[in-house]
Amino acid sequence: FLTMVIINGQFKLNINTMKGRMGERMLRRLRYELFDRVMRFPQGHFRKVKQAEIATMIKDEVEPLGGFIGDAFVQPVFLGGQAATALFFILTQSFWLGMVAVAILLIQVVVIPKLRKRVLVLGKERQLTARQLAGRIAETVDGAADVHANATSNYERADIVARLSRRIFFIRFELFKRKFFIKFLNNLLAQTTPFFFYLIGGYLAITGSLDIGGLVAVIAAYKDLPPPVKELIDWDLQRQDVQIKYEQVIEQFTPDGMLEPALQAPIDGDVPPLAGPPVLACVSVVDETYGPLLDGATATI
């Protein structure tokens, strides 16, 4: 027994170490990829975005992705194996008690994720409002001299109060209410199963269809079933949340008119001199709103 405990602990140590290393390497690669995209933004796009928002997305919003990358495959296999082992043991002791456990698990698996869809939407709104708040604060700090010169500090305070009170507070409060209701319902379902075990198992024991020792073994084995199931449900919620965050970030880093990577690629060897003067022939130039700046311009420099 002690040998198996040590081997199991070594498994957990190695798994956690390797998945953490993989997550950090992928997070490092993702952050560099996002910064590389910033270097290829069209010039007009920099006037539409705030530097604080870009920095927040690269530094903070992709942080959960690194933690989930390692768990993406490890958690379902590890926790699913634990839940399947406990459920198999219950079914071998009593088929009907096993069916009760399966029925409650199906309710949890079907109902809880549906309730959490609204939680994911609220999480997306919270992330967006927090990013906008960071951009607004950075904009105010950059323009502090103008704010003081025009005595508009109270307008800036009012804007921040509106963001904090009317938007962020109510989003977070509704998020908390829904999260704790889901937690309450999940715990209620988890505690309902032992009740049916005592009810049905007690009847079967009285009628002689089930041994008392088998009933005690089922109840003891069930203690190992809810924790991995709950963690699997949390894993699925985290997966959906990470997916939403990833899509949000990628959407912000994929503007129209991005420069091709080849235009900024390092040049090997010496750059040859120009063979002649630069010549423009029928050149048209438009701004970021596609308004014409030049049309059919021809020049030799």
Side-chain angles (χ1 to χ4, degrees):
F1 174 76
L2 182 59
T3 302
M4 296 304 296
V5 169
I6 295 175
I7 294 175
N8 188 42
Q10 190 66 38
F11 275 142
K12 291 182 179 180
L13 175 62
N14 292 339
I15 289 174
N16 290 328
T17 302
M18 288 188 290
K19 76 178 184 180
R21 179 171 178 251
M22 180 175 66
E24 286 301 316
R25 293 183 66 178
M26 293 298 293
L27 180 61
R28 178 184 64 183
R29 189 182 186 91
L30 176 61
R31 280 173 168 162
Y32 175 77
E33 176 70 20
L34 294 179
F35 181 77
D36 176 72
R37 285 175 170 266
V38 173
M39 295 294 97
R40 295 189 286 116
F41 279 178
Q43 194 63 35
H45 188 69
F46 286 103
R47 293 191 287 270
K48 301 177 184 178
V49 297
K50 299 180 177 65
Q51 59 180 358
E53 293 185 13
I54 295 179
T56 300
M57 284 186 282
I58 295 178
K59 183 176 72 73
D60 296 329
E61 292 190 17
V62 299
E63 184 75 25
L65 275 65
F68 181 75
I69 288 171
D71 292 333
F73 300 100
V74 173
Q75 291 293 86
V77 175
F78 183 72
L79 298 174
Q82 286 184 321
T85 302
L87 187 59
F88 175 76
F89 180 80
I90 294 174
L91 286 171
T92 56
Q93 295 297 318
S94 173
F95 175 78
W96 294 111
L97 294 183
M99 288 296 99
V100 170
V102 170
I104 299 297
L105 288 178
L106 289 177
I107 295 176
Q108 287 181 281
V109 171
V110 173
V111 174
I112 300 300
K114 288 186 176 181
L115 294 176
R116 282 179 165 174
K117 287 184 178 180
R118 178 58 182 167
V119 174
L120 294 173
V121 174
L122 291 172
K124 181 179 180 179
E125 294 179 1
R126 180 182 65 174
Q127 181 180 357
L128 182 60
T129 52
R131 184 195 307 165
Q132 293 173 346
L133 177 65
R136 189 69 180 89
I137 293 175
E139 183 181 9
T140 303
V141 173
D142 292 339
D146 295 329
V147 171
H148 289 170
N150 294 280
T152 58
S153 58
N154 287 330
Y155 289 102
E156 301 299 332
R157 292 188 180 96
D159 178 70
I160 296 300
V161 167
R163 292 174 184 269
L164 294 175
S165 301
R166 300 176 188 174
R167 301 176 192 174
I168 297 179
F169 173 79
F170 286 106
I171 291 175
R172 294 177 67 91
F173 184 60
E174 184 180 357
L175 181 63
F176 290 151
K177 289 193 298 183
R178 291 181 178 272
K179 285 178 65 176
F180 286 115
F181 173 75
I182 293 173
K183 185 177 181 180
F184 159 77
L185 181 61
N186 198 22
N187 292 334
L188 178 63
L189 291 174
Q191 296 300 323
T192 303
T193 307
F195 168 76
F196 285 108
F197 280 174
Y198 288 122
L199 182 66
I200 301 175
Y203 174 77
L204 294 176
I206 291 174
T207 58
S209 302
L210 180 65
D211 185 75
I212 292 294
L215 176 60
V216 173
V218 167
I219 295 174
Y222 179 74
K223 294 180 180 179
D224 295 328
L225 186 58
V229 173
K230 179 180 179 300
E231 291 186 37
L232 278 174
I233 296 176
D234 293 339
W235 172 87
D236 186 64
L237 174 66
Q238 186 184 10
R239 178 190 63 80
Q240 298 179 41
D241 183 50
V242 166
Q243 182 177 354
I244 290 177
K245 290 180 179 179
Y246 177 79
E247 293 173 352
Q248 276 189 309
V249 171
I250 294 302
E251 181 182 354
Q252 297 297 321
F253 285 83
T254 315
D256 295 331
M258 284 185 61
L259 299 178
E260 294 295 332
L263 296 177
Q264 296 181 348
I267 300 176
D268 296 331
D270 297 331
V271 180
L274 296 177
V279 178
L280 305 180
C282 297
V283 175
S284 298
V285 180
V286 296
D287 58 15
E288 60 268 16
T289 62
Y290 297 100
L293 300 179
L294 290 177
D295 186 16
T298 300
T300 300
I301 302 174

